[in-house]
Amino acid sequence: MASVAITRRNHLLSSLLRFRTLYSQRRTYSPSISTSAADTEPPVSRTKVLETFKEEFEIGSRIITLETGKIARFANGAVVLGIDDTNVLSTVCSAKGDGVRDFLPLTVDYQEKQFAQGVIPGTYMRREGAPKERELLCGRLIDRPIRPLFPAGFYHEVQVMASVLSSDGKQDPDVMAANATSAALMLSDIPWDGPIGMIRVGRIDGHLVVNPSVDEFERGEALDKIGKDVKGILEEEGDEESLRGLSKTVDTVRKQVVRRRILNEGFRLDGRRLDEVRPLYCEAGNLPGLHGSALFSRGDTQVLCTVTLGAPGDAQRLDSVVGPPTKRFMLHYSFPPYCINEVGKRTGLNRREVGHGTLAEKALIAVLPPELDFPYTVRINSEVMGSDGSTSMATVCGGSMALMDAGIPLREHVAGLSVGLVTEVDSSTGNVDQYRILTDILGLEDHLGDMDFKIAGTRNGITAIQLDIKPAGIPLDIICESLEPAYKGRLQILEHMEQEINSARTQAGRNSPRLVTLKYSNDDLRRLIGPLGALKTKIEEETGARMSVSDGTLTIVAKNQSVMEKVQEKVDLIIGRAIEVGGVYKGIVTSIKEYGAFVEFNGGQHGLLHVSELSHEPVSRISDVISVGQQLSLMCIGQDLRGNIKLSLKATLPQKTKKSDIAEGFTNLSKQRPDSRPPGKDSLSEQEGPNSVVKDSPEDKDMSTKLNPSYSSMAPIVIRSAVECDEEEKSAGLSSNLKNNSNPKPQRAIKPKSSQKLKTLKASSKSDSGSVSSKKARIAKPYLLTEKRMNYDDNGTSSDEEKNEDKPKNTILDYLKDQECEVAGPMDAKKLKLGTKVTAKILQVRARGLVLDLGGGINGMYRFESDDGKEDFEVGNEVQAQCTSFTSKGIPVMSIIQDD
């Protein structure tokens, strides 16, 4: 295994050498078109060509990519190394001055910013602070292997800056940063006897596993060369006084030459027209592992912008005397030394970074959605990769694209640029005799010119401006005149940005961080937090997500969708969520009884899983299917009469489509008429609690297209009081009918107590293609016909006692008469309803009743009224039967219709 690791390391070294050879041709640019100032053709911004080089190879089971030429082009060497969704940028710069020292001042800075993980820093200022211990150790990890490879006697200051651009949490970026640094040093002009290759070797299950500069860099060099040549001549002449003022003299001469050419010839430093925008490059979503990202280049100015979304509680707190207490939109601007090819220390905030960031922040906040529509905290990180004029306006452009890439619905894009001014003043009058307005100024034009007017806005208006001038004053008409070229240049930039991304991007299918806001009561949130926040902290440590709690809301920020689902599952187990009929919940079996099991779910609530809801197949022993402590996914199918939550396991399981299966044959029927009876009861006469009213679905629907969809779409079960039941009966006009049709003193009929109210069934159905017709009815059902059957003599007449019972029975017969319907065509489960009459065939004669064949593979049951009732029936006989009820398992209970 050691030899394999060495081989793979050598593969890395050879790839780096091949990468260096490929890059040795250096980068090129599209030629600048030089036109005269008199040319009146409208300017059109060109697309900047970033000639990049990319190398891919495999080490272990990972694909490694090396890329250069796209970002940080001013550094002596810059490489982005990527594995999966983890990307690390390493830059190297060397000081140009001759240092008088006898050692190598090598500095290695390694930084992991929070935006790489899709998280807003939790510090007070919501910025990254001093280097953490891990960052210091990773810097030493890079320093140790590269330091000995610098040649003896090389004492120029060298700075290495490694930054993690994105992290998926799977790859450790420290080793990646060392390899990226090696590649950057190989591509630079810094003398270094490399490359090096670094891998991480781990032992898993007894096995060793491997890894679970530019030609622009030119104007500045020419000017430096002029200064060095003059310095050499003065040193030979020994003119010490001239040497002391050499730097200022060279700058003065340079300023005069550049300004004269602009005023007299209309010729700019890079050959552009006065109103021409530099070549543009736009790329949105270049770091897909983040909430949002964008790369924007205008000439040699380049910024990398990233967006991080956070909870409302992540907003920055402002301890100011006036103004709002918090700030939910933050733009943090960073200007590292390598962006201008310099060596410098990484210090805290400075005025430049705060000022430029605030200007860009004001430009973008105008197009953000209202806080009520988008309450999240937003942080933009702008990392300047190359600076040659107006990096703050480049931040506006890159930030606007990154916000849309993050899915934030901006009103429209915002772009910005700087307008410069070169004037010639009459020394006698102090008036401006001649001036030129410059669009999109370079860094040197900013330095040698008279004005830096930064203007940002949309197609419809300006969102932010900043004016810096060097003279004592500039005429107002010149300021107003400069707005027109700024607007034309802004439109050119907006056109390129809109071609790259013109609307908020959806997060579907992206393995990027997720953010969700949920509503809970404050009592539930207190349960989630736990004593001293212990429970909330435990969930965050187990999942890696962050939770923010405010008044009635819980905001969760997770690295990806799988982590988000894990957090939501834990939250549901603690505080639960609103229970809905048809909703699927995860619960744990707490106890098993002979009639079913009790399950704890949804944050401590309990429900009953009846034996009939365990499986589509008959279950003889509950323990054969489930056990105590087992976690199940269950569907809420309603409440029983006592208010207990009824759960179903079979509703979440796929069904078999066998007509011969009796239970399967009646599944749809039982779903169309949701059973509100408590488990274990076979008929409505055995129900407890007569003050309940069952409200059925307003219409029958075919719900066989989904996995048990009838549970999710069935009507809710309503538990009413006795007063409400009376109101229901009065509205239907049923109470008077019952009094008129019933015998006040029945001898054998069941008489409800005065404190009880009749159960009312509200049914509403539609005819099925003319084959089955039924009437809508609301009527009281004191008991079932199957409880007692009339004993008729041979002539079809009953005894005196039985005649007294006919009147109360007539009430039920009237109810069934209203409901009765004849079945046309073959019988199926959809046609069988209360009151349906069919011609049934006797399949079996049992001790207490009959098993009837109703047709269409559907069986029903009939109960004998006495022990000798079976003597009247034989197997194979046909009888007229009417459906009077259904058992808890959906089996129809029939009554035998006697011939008149």
Side-chain angles (χ1 to χ4, degrees), residues 839-871:
T839 300
K841 186 177 182 179
I842 300 176
L843 289 181
Q844 298 179 14
V845 179
R846 298 187 177 180
R848 296 187 178 180
L850 303 177
V851 177
L852 303 177
D853 181 8
L854 307 181
I858 302 176
N859 293 345
M861 58 178 291
Y862 167 72
R863 294 175 179 171
F864 294 143
E865 300 171 358
S866 60
D867 294 339
D868 57 352
K870 64 180 180 179
E871 298 177 357

PDB file of all heavy atoms in Angstrom, residues 839-871:
ATOM      1  N   THR A 839     -79.590  -9.468  -4.893  1.00  0.00           N
ATOM      2  CA  THR A 839     -79.944 -10.886  -4.803  1.00  0.00           C
ATOM      3  C   THR A 839     -78.693 -11.643  -4.443  1.00  0.00           C
ATOM      4  O   THR A 839     -77.740 -11.699  -5.228  1.00  0.00           O
ATOM      5  CB  THR A 839     -80.513 -11.393  -6.131  1.00  0.00           C
ATOM      6  OG1 THR A 839     -81.683 -10.631  -6.450  1.00  0.00           O
ATOM      7  CG2 THR A 839     -80.863 -12.860  -6.029  1.00  0.00           C
ATOM      8  N   ALA A 840     -78.646 -12.195  -3.223  1.00  0.00           N
ATOM      9  CA  ALA A 840     -77.444 -12.831  -2.702  1.00  0.00           C
ATOM     10  C   ALA A 840     -77.612 -14.344  -2.707  1.00  0.00           C
ATOM     11  O   ALA A 840     -78.725 -14.883  -2.616  1.00  0.00           O
ATOM     12  CB  ALA A 840     -77.156 -12.327  -1.292  1.00  0.00           C
ATOM     13  N   LYS A 841     -76.492 -15.029  -2.773  1.00  0.00           N
ATOM     14  CA  LYS A 841     -76.454 -16.480  -2.749  1.00  0.00           C
ATOM     15  C   LYS A 841     -75.777 -16.924  -1.469  1.00  0.00           C
ATOM     16  O   LYS A 841     -74.738 -16.383  -1.087  1.00  0.00           O
ATOM     17  CB  LYS A 841     -75.711 -17.013  -3.967  1.00  0.00           C
ATOM     18  CG  LYS A 841     -75.739 -18.519  -4.102  1.00  0.00           C
ATOM     19  CD  LYS A 841     -75.044 -18.940  -5.391  1.00  0.00           C
ATOM     20  CE  LYS A 841     -75.094 -20.451  -5.570  1.00  0.00           C
ATOM     21  NZ  LYS A 841     -74.430 -20.873  -6.835  1.00  0.00           N
ATOM     22  N   ILE A 842     -76.362 -17.924  -0.778  1.00  0.00           N
ATOM     23  CA  ILE A 842     -75.822 -18.397   0.504  1.00  0.00           C
ATOM     24  C   ILE A 842     -74.605 -19.265   0.222  1.00  0.00           C
ATOM     25  O   ILE A 842     -74.691 -20.295  -0.447  1.00  0.00           O
ATOM     26  CB  ILE A 842     -76.871 -19.176   1.300  1.00  0.00           C
ATOM     27  CG1 ILE A 842     -78.085 -18.274   1.595  1.00  0.00           C
ATOM     28  CG2 ILE A 842     -76.277 -19.707   2.595  1.00  0.00           C
ATOM     29  CD1 ILE A 842     -79.207 -18.992   2.295  1.00  0.00           C
ATOM     30  N   LEU A 843     -73.433 -18.810   0.733  1.00  0.00           N
ATOM     31  CA  LEU A 843     -72.197 -19.592   0.575  1.00  0.00           C
ATOM     32  C   LEU A 843     -72.006 -20.563   1.724  1.00  0.00           C
ATOM     33  O   LEU A 843     -71.648 -21.725   1.527  1.00  0.00           O
ATOM     34  CB  LEU A 843     -70.993 -18.658   0.494  1.00  0.00           C
ATOM     35  CG  LEU A 843     -70.839 -17.830  -0.782  1.00  0.00           C
ATOM     36  CD1 LEU A 843     -69.578 -16.972  -0.686  1.00  0.00           C
ATOM     37  CD2 LEU A 843     -70.738 -18.755  -1.998  1.00  0.00           C
ATOM     38  N   GLN A 844     -72.226 -20.086   2.960  1.00  0.00           N
ATOM     39  CA  GLN A 844     -72.005 -20.908   4.147  1.00  0.00           C
ATOM     40  C   GLN A 844     -73.117 -20.638   5.155  1.00  0.00           C
ATOM     41  O   GLN A 844     -73.611 -19.507   5.260  1.00  0.00           O
ATOM     42  CB  GLN A 844     -70.650 -20.601   4.805  1.00  0.00           C
ATOM     43  CG  GLN A 844     -69.447 -20.897   3.927  1.00  0.00           C
ATOM     44  CD  GLN A 844     -68.158 -20.538   4.629  1.00  0.00           C
ATOM     45  OE1 GLN A 844     -68.139 -20.315   5.834  1.00  0.00           O
ATOM     46  NE2 GLN A 844     -67.082 -20.527   3.876  1.00  0.00           N
ATOM     47  N   VAL A 845     -73.460 -21.668   5.893  1.00  0.00           N
ATOM     48  CA  VAL A 845     -74.397 -21.554   7.012  1.00  0.00           C
ATOM     49  C   VAL A 845     -73.613 -21.870   8.278  1.00  0.00           C
ATOM     50  O   VAL A 845     -73.163 -22.992   8.466  1.00  0.00           O
ATOM     51  CB  VAL A 845     -75.603 -22.500   6.853  1.00  0.00           C
ATOM     52  CG1 VAL A 845     -76.537 -22.362   8.058  1.00  0.00           C
ATOM     53  CG2 VAL A 845     -76.360 -22.208   5.561  1.00  0.00           C
ATOM     54  N   ARG A 846     -73.410 -20.834   9.096  1.00  0.00           N
ATOM     55  CA  ARG A 846     -72.629 -21.003  10.313  1.00  0.00           C
ATOM     56  C   ARG A 846     -73.539 -20.970  11.536  1.00  0.00           C
ATOM     57  O   ARG A 846     -74.746 -20.810  11.429  1.00  0.00           O
ATOM     58  CB  ARG A 846     -71.564 -19.922  10.408  1.00  0.00           C
ATOM     59  CG  ARG A 846     -70.566 -19.984   9.253  1.00  0.00           C
ATOM     60  CD  ARG A 846     -69.422 -19.021   9.441  1.00  0.00           C
ATOM     61  NE  ARG A 846     -68.435 -19.127   8.391  1.00  0.00           N
ATOM     62  CZ  ARG A 846     -67.332 -18.390   8.320  1.00  0.00           C
ATOM     63  NH1 ARG A 846     -67.098 -17.470   9.263  1.00  0.00           N
ATOM     64  NH2 ARG A 846     -66.482 -18.558   7.328  1.00  0.00           N
ATOM     65  N   ALA A 847     -72.901 -21.106  12.703  1.00  0.00           N
ATOM     66  CA  ALA A 847     -73.676 -21.231  13.931  1.00  0.00           C
ATOM     67  C   ALA A 847     -74.476 -19.968  14.225  1.00  0.00           C
ATOM     68  O   ALA A 847     -75.598 -20.020  14.721  1.00  0.00           O
ATOM     69  CB  ALA A 847     -72.763 -21.570  15.102  1.00  0.00           C
ATOM     70  N   ARG A 848     -73.920 -18.794  13.907  1.00  0.00           N
ATOM     71  CA  ARG A 848     -74.580 -17.549  14.285  1.00  0.00           C
ATOM     72  C   ARG A 848     -74.980 -16.692  13.099  1.00  0.00           C
ATOM     73  O   ARG A 848     -75.419 -15.572  13.268  1.00  0.00           O
ATOM     74  CB  ARG A 848     -73.671 -16.744  15.187  1.00  0.00           C
ATOM     75  CG  ARG A 848     -73.382 -17.435  16.504  1.00  0.00           C
ATOM     76  CD  ARG A 848     -72.608 -16.520  17.432  1.00  0.00           C
ATOM     77  NE  ARG A 848     -72.353 -17.147  18.712  1.00  0.00           N
ATOM     78  CZ  ARG A 848     -71.692 -16.569  19.719  1.00  0.00           C
ATOM     79  NH1 ARG A 848     -71.234 -15.336  19.560  1.00  0.00           N
ATOM     80  NH2 ARG A 848     -71.498 -17.206  20.856  1.00  0.00           N
ATOM     81  N   GLY A 849     -74.793 -17.195  11.890  1.00  0.00           N
ATOM     82  CA  GLY A 849     -75.188 -16.385  10.766  1.00  0.00           C
ATOM     83  C   GLY A 849     -74.796 -17.004   9.450  1.00  0.00           C
ATOM     84  O   GLY A 849     -74.372 -18.171   9.371  1.00  0.00           O
ATOM     85  N   LEU A 850     -74.960 -16.222   8.398  1.00  0.00           N
ATOM     86  CA  LEU A 850     -74.712 -16.687   7.045  1.00  0.00           C
ATOM     87  C   LEU A 850     -73.570 -15.888   6.423  1.00  0.00           C
ATOM     88  O   LEU A 850     -73.346 -14.722   6.754  1.00  0.00           O
ATOM     89  CB  LEU A 850     -75.967 -16.499   6.176  1.00  0.00           C
ATOM     90  CG  LEU A 850     -77.266 -17.160   6.657  1.00  0.00           C
ATOM     91  CD1 LEU A 850     -78.392 -16.788   5.715  1.00  0.00           C
ATOM     92  CD2 LEU A 850     -77.110 -18.681   6.748  1.00  0.00           C
ATOM     93  N   VAL A 851     -72.887 -16.524   5.486  1.00  0.00           N
ATOM     94  CA  VAL A 851     -71.939 -15.842   4.612  1.00  0.00           C
ATOM     95  C   VAL A 851     -72.591 -15.775   3.247  1.00  0.00           C
ATOM     96  O   VAL A 851     -72.913 -16.813   2.649  1.00  0.00           O
ATOM     97  CB  VAL A 851     -70.592 -16.570   4.536  1.00  0.00           C
ATOM     98  CG1 VAL A 851     -69.668 -15.860   3.560  1.00  0.00           C
ATOM     99  CG2 VAL A 851     -69.952 -16.664   5.917  1.00  0.00           C
ATOM    100  N   LEU A 852     -72.796 -14.557   2.732  1.00  0.00           N
ATOM    101  CA  LEU A 852     -73.537 -14.342   1.504  1.00  0.00           C
ATOM    102  C   LEU A 852     -72.605 -13.904   0.388  1.00  0.00           C
ATOM    103  O   LEU A 852     -71.681 -13.094   0.604  1.00  0.00           O
ATOM    104  CB  LEU A 852     -74.609 -13.274   1.714  1.00  0.00           C
ATOM    105  CG  LEU A 852     -75.634 -13.538   2.831  1.00  0.00           C
ATOM    106  CD1 LEU A 852     -76.581 -12.363   2.965  1.00  0.00           C
ATOM    107  CD2 LEU A 852     -76.404 -14.832   2.559  1.00  0.00           C
ATOM    108  N   ASP A 853     -72.880 -14.438  -0.812  1.00  0.00           N
ATOM    109  CA  ASP A 853     -72.171 -14.008  -2.010  1.00  0.00           C
ATOM    110  C   ASP A 853     -73.006 -12.925  -2.681  1.00  0.00           C
ATOM    111  O   ASP A 853     -74.083 -13.192  -3.209  1.00  0.00           O
ATOM    112  CB  ASP A 853     -71.963 -15.194  -2.956  1.00  0.00           C
ATOM    113  CG  ASP A 853     -71.195 -14.789  -4.210  1.00  0.00           C
ATOM    114  OD1 ASP A 853     -70.710 -13.632  -4.255  1.00  0.00           O
ATOM    115  OD2 ASP A 853     -71.083 -15.615  -5.134  1.00  0.00           O
ATOM    116  N   LEU A 854     -72.483 -11.661  -2.626  1.00  0.00           N
ATOM    117  CA  LEU A 854     -73.233 -10.532  -3.158  1.00  0.00           C
ATOM    118  C   LEU A 854     -72.942 -10.271  -4.629  1.00  0.00           C
ATOM    119  O   LEU A 854     -73.541  -9.386  -5.238  1.00  0.00           O
ATOM    120  CB  LEU A 854     -72.924  -9.262  -2.357  1.00  0.00           C
ATOM    121  CG  LEU A 854     -73.099  -9.376  -0.843  1.00  0.00           C
ATOM    122  CD1 LEU A 854     -72.789  -8.044  -0.177  1.00  0.00           C
ATOM    123  CD2 LEU A 854     -74.513  -9.837  -0.494  1.00  0.00           C
ATOM    124  N   GLY A 855     -72.012 -11.022  -5.202  1.00  0.00           N
ATOM    125  CA  GLY A 855     -71.633 -10.829  -6.591  1.00  0.00           C
ATOM    126  C   GLY A 855     -70.377  -9.992  -6.715  1.00  0.00           C
ATOM    127  O   GLY A 855     -70.034  -9.204  -5.831  1.00  0.00           O
ATOM    128  N   GLY A 856     -69.674 -10.166  -7.834  1.00  0.00           N
ATOM    129  CA  GLY A 856     -68.453  -9.399  -8.052  1.00  0.00           C
ATOM    130  C   GLY A 856     -67.345  -9.751  -7.104  1.00  0.00           C
ATOM    131  O   GLY A 856     -66.451  -8.943  -6.846  1.00  0.00           O
ATOM    132  N   GLY A 857     -67.358 -10.963  -6.539  1.00  0.00           N
ATOM    133  CA  GLY A 857     -66.324 -11.364  -5.595  1.00  0.00           C
ATOM    134  C   GLY A 857     -66.462 -10.738  -4.222  1.00  0.00           C
ATOM    135  O   GLY A 857     -65.527 -10.764  -3.430  1.00  0.00           O
ATOM    136  N   ILE A 858     -67.620 -10.159  -3.911  1.00  0.00           N
ATOM    137  CA  ILE A 858     -67.850  -9.489  -2.632  1.00  0.00           C
ATOM    138  C   ILE A 858     -68.724 -10.376  -1.752  1.00  0.00           C
ATOM    139  O   ILE A 858     -69.761 -10.867  -2.197  1.00  0.00           O
ATOM    140  CB  ILE A 858     -68.527  -8.132  -2.847  1.00  0.00           C
ATOM    141  CG1 ILE A 858     -67.666  -7.256  -3.750  1.00  0.00           C
ATOM    142  CG2 ILE A 858     -68.799  -7.438  -1.527  1.00  0.00           C
ATOM    143  CD1 ILE A 858     -68.294  -5.934  -4.095  1.00  0.00           C
ATOM    144  N   ASN A 859     -68.301 -10.569  -0.543  1.00  0.00           N
ATOM    145  CA  ASN A 859     -69.045 -11.371   0.431  1.00  0.00           C
ATOM    146  C   ASN A 859     -69.597 -10.470   1.527  1.00  0.00           C
ATOM    147  O   ASN A 859     -68.978  -9.471   1.899  1.00  0.00           O
ATOM    148  CB  ASN A 859     -68.164 -12.448   1.051  1.00  0.00           C
ATOM    149  CG  ASN A 859     -67.757 -13.498   0.041  1.00  0.00           C
ATOM    150  OD1 ASN A 859     -68.346 -13.583  -1.039  1.00  0.00           O
ATOM    151  ND2 ASN A 859     -66.768 -14.288   0.382  1.00  0.00           N
ATOM    152  N   GLY A 860     -70.782 -10.850   2.042  1.00  0.00           N
ATOM    153  CA  GLY A 860     -71.386 -10.146   3.160  1.00  0.00           C
ATOM    154  C   GLY A 860     -71.777 -11.127   4.253  1.00  0.00           C
ATOM    155  O   GLY A 860     -71.620 -12.347   4.117  1.00  0.00           O
ATOM    156  N   MET A 861     -72.272 -10.573   5.373  1.00  0.00           N
ATOM    157  CA  MET A 861     -72.637 -11.411   6.499  1.00  0.00           C
ATOM    158  C   MET A 861     -74.057 -11.070   6.976  1.00  0.00           C
ATOM    159  O   MET A 861     -74.520  -9.930   6.850  1.00  0.00           O
ATOM    160  CB  MET A 861     -71.644 -11.228   7.654  1.00  0.00           C
ATOM    161  CG  MET A 861     -71.523  -9.797   8.169  1.00  0.00           C
ATOM    162  SD  MET A 861     -70.393  -9.641   9.556  1.00  0.00           S
ATOM    163  CE  MET A 861     -71.341 -10.521  10.799  1.00  0.00           C
ATOM    164  N   TYR A 862     -74.733 -12.105   7.486  1.00  0.00           N
ATOM    165  CA  TYR A 862     -76.074 -11.942   8.069  1.00  0.00           C
ATOM    166  C   TYR A 862     -76.103 -12.698   9.392  1.00  0.00           C
ATOM    167  O   TYR A 862     -75.663 -13.854   9.460  1.00  0.00           O
ATOM    168  CB  TYR A 862     -77.147 -12.493   7.123  1.00  0.00           C
ATOM    169  CG  TYR A 862     -78.493 -12.650   7.790  1.00  0.00           C
ATOM    170  CD1 TYR A 862     -79.261 -11.530   8.108  1.00  0.00           C
ATOM    171  CD2 TYR A 862     -78.992 -13.923   8.108  1.00  0.00           C
ATOM    172  CE1 TYR A 862     -80.486 -11.681   8.731  1.00  0.00           C
ATOM    173  CE2 TYR A 862     -80.216 -14.068   8.723  1.00  0.00           C
ATOM    174  CZ  TYR A 862     -80.966 -12.949   9.035  1.00  0.00           C
ATOM    175  OH  TYR A 862     -82.170 -13.084   9.652  1.00  0.00           O
ATOM    176  N   ARG A 863     -76.576 -12.037  10.437  1.00  0.00           N
ATOM    177  CA  ARG A 863     -76.591 -12.638  11.763  1.00  0.00           C
ATOM    178  C   ARG A 863     -77.988 -13.166  12.079  1.00  0.00           C
ATOM    179  O   ARG A 863     -78.992 -12.485  11.849  1.00  0.00           O
ATOM    180  CB  ARG A 863     -76.186 -11.615  12.819  1.00  0.00           C
ATOM    181  CG  ARG A 863     -74.747 -11.166  12.688  1.00  0.00           C
ATOM    182  CD  ARG A 863     -74.438 -10.072  13.670  1.00  0.00           C
ATOM    183  NE  ARG A 863     -73.057  -9.635  13.579  1.00  0.00           N
ATOM    184  CZ  ARG A 863     -72.551  -8.584  14.188  1.00  0.00           C
ATOM    185  NH1 ARG A 863     -73.354  -7.852  14.946  1.00  0.00           N
ATOM    186  NH2 ARG A 863     -71.298  -8.269  14.059  1.00  0.00           N
ATOM    187  N   PHE A 864     -78.023 -14.421  12.647  1.00  0.00           N
ATOM    188  CA  PHE A 864     -79.304 -15.024  13.041  1.00  0.00           C
ATOM    189  C   PHE A 864     -79.871 -14.287  14.241  1.00  0.00           C
ATOM    190  O   PHE A 864     -79.142 -13.793  15.103  1.00  0.00           O
ATOM    191  CB  PHE A 864     -79.119 -16.501  13.390  1.00  0.00           C
ATOM    192  CG  PHE A 864     -78.729 -17.352  12.215  1.00  0.00           C
ATOM    193  CD1 PHE A 864     -77.841 -18.400  12.362  1.00  0.00           C
ATOM    194  CD2 PHE A 864     -79.267 -17.098  10.956  1.00  0.00           C
ATOM    195  CE1 PHE A 864     -77.483 -19.175  11.284  1.00  0.00           C
ATOM    196  CE2 PHE A 864     -78.919 -17.884   9.882  1.00  0.00           C
ATOM    197  CZ  PHE A 864     -78.018 -18.928  10.027  1.00  0.00           C
ATOM    198  N   GLU A 865     -81.195 -14.254  14.280  1.00  0.00           N
ATOM    199  CA  GLU A 865     -81.865 -13.630  15.411  1.00  0.00           C
ATOM    200  C   GLU A 865     -82.044 -14.597  16.567  1.00  0.00           C
ATOM    201  O   GLU A 865     -82.274 -14.189  17.694  1.00  0.00           O
ATOM    202  CB  GLU A 865     -83.227 -13.090  14.975  1.00  0.00           C
ATOM    203  CG  GLU A 865     -83.110 -12.048  13.866  1.00  0.00           C
ATOM    204  CD  GLU A 865     -84.455 -11.697  13.301  1.00  0.00           C
ATOM    205  OE1 GLU A 865     -85.450 -12.295  13.740  1.00  0.00           O
ATOM    206  OE2 GLU A 865     -84.529 -10.838  12.394  1.00  0.00           O
ATOM    207  N   SER A 866     -81.961 -15.894  16.275  1.00  0.00           N
ATOM    208  CA  SER A 866     -82.083 -16.909  17.330  1.00  0.00           C
ATOM    209  C   SER A 866     -81.184 -18.073  16.967  1.00  0.00           C
ATOM    210  O   SER A 866     -80.662 -18.160  15.851  1.00  0.00           O
ATOM    211  CB  SER A 866     -83.546 -17.379  17.467  1.00  0.00           C
ATOM    212  OG  SER A 866     -83.996 -17.935  16.244  1.00  0.00           O
ATOM    213  N   ASP A 867     -80.979 -18.987  17.917  1.00  0.00           N
ATOM    214  CA  ASP A 867     -80.077 -20.106  17.689  1.00  0.00           C
ATOM    215  C   ASP A 867     -80.591 -21.063  16.621  1.00  0.00           C
ATOM    216  O   ASP A 867     -79.814 -21.766  15.978  1.00  0.00           O
ATOM    217  CB  ASP A 867     -79.859 -20.881  19.000  1.00  0.00           C
ATOM    218  CG  ASP A 867     -79.115 -20.021  20.016  1.00  0.00           C
ATOM    219  OD1 ASP A 867     -78.447 -19.040  19.584  1.00  0.00           O
ATOM    220  OD2 ASP A 867     -79.206 -20.329  21.221  1.00  0.00           O
ATOM    221  N   ASP A 868     -81.930 -21.142  16.448  1.00  0.00           N
ATOM    222  CA  ASP A 868     -82.472 -22.071  15.469  1.00  0.00           C
ATOM    223  C   ASP A 868     -82.739 -21.409  14.129  1.00  0.00           C
ATOM    224  O   ASP A 868     -83.437 -21.961  13.277  1.00  0.00           O
ATOM    225  CB  ASP A 868     -83.764 -22.702  15.998  1.00  0.00           C
ATOM    226  CG  ASP A 868     -84.797 -21.643  16.357  1.00  0.00           C
ATOM    227  OD1 ASP A 868     -84.426 -20.435  16.334  1.00  0.00           O
ATOM    228  OD2 ASP A 868     -85.938 -22.024  16.674  1.00  0.00           O
ATOM    229  N   GLY A 869     -82.169 -20.193  13.938  1.00  0.00           N
ATOM    230  CA  GLY A 869     -82.424 -19.479  12.695  1.00  0.00           C
ATOM    231  C   GLY A 869     -81.798 -20.136  11.490  1.00  0.00           C
ATOM    232  O   GLY A 869     -82.272 -19.990  10.365  1.00  0.00           O
ATOM    233  N   LYS A 870     -80.725 -20.908  11.708  1.00  0.00           N
ATOM    234  CA  LYS A 870     -80.043 -21.509  10.561  1.00  0.00           C
ATOM    235  C   LYS A 870     -80.871 -22.616   9.920  1.00  0.00           C
ATOM    236  O   LYS A 870     -80.566 -23.048   8.812  1.00  0.00           O
ATOM    237  CB  LYS A 870     -78.700 -22.055  11.004  1.00  0.00           C
ATOM    238  CG  LYS A 870     -78.772 -23.188  12.017  1.00  0.00           C
ATOM    239  CD  LYS A 870     -77.368 -23.638  12.375  1.00  0.00           C
ATOM    240  CE  LYS A 870     -77.380 -24.781  13.398  1.00  0.00           C
ATOM    241  NZ  LYS A 870     -76.032 -25.245  13.725  1.00  0.00           N
ATOM    242  N   GLU A 871     -81.930 -23.091  10.606  1.00  0.00           N
ATOM    243  CA  GLU A 871     -82.738 -24.164  10.033  1.00  0.00           C
ATOM    244  C   GLU A 871     -83.532 -23.692   8.824  1.00  0.00           C
ATOM    245  O   GLU A 871     -83.990 -24.489   8.016  1.00  0.00           O
ATOM    246  CB  GLU A 871     -83.689 -24.713  11.100  1.00  0.00           C
ATOM    247  CG  GLU A 871     -82.961 -25.332  12.296  1.00  0.00           C
ATOM    248  CD  GLU A 871     -83.934 -25.801  13.356  1.00  0.00           C
ATOM    249  OE1 GLU A 871     -85.145 -25.586  13.160  1.00  0.00           O
ATOM    250  OE2 GLU A 871     -83.482 -26.384  14.365  1.00  0.00           O
TER     251      GLU A 871
END
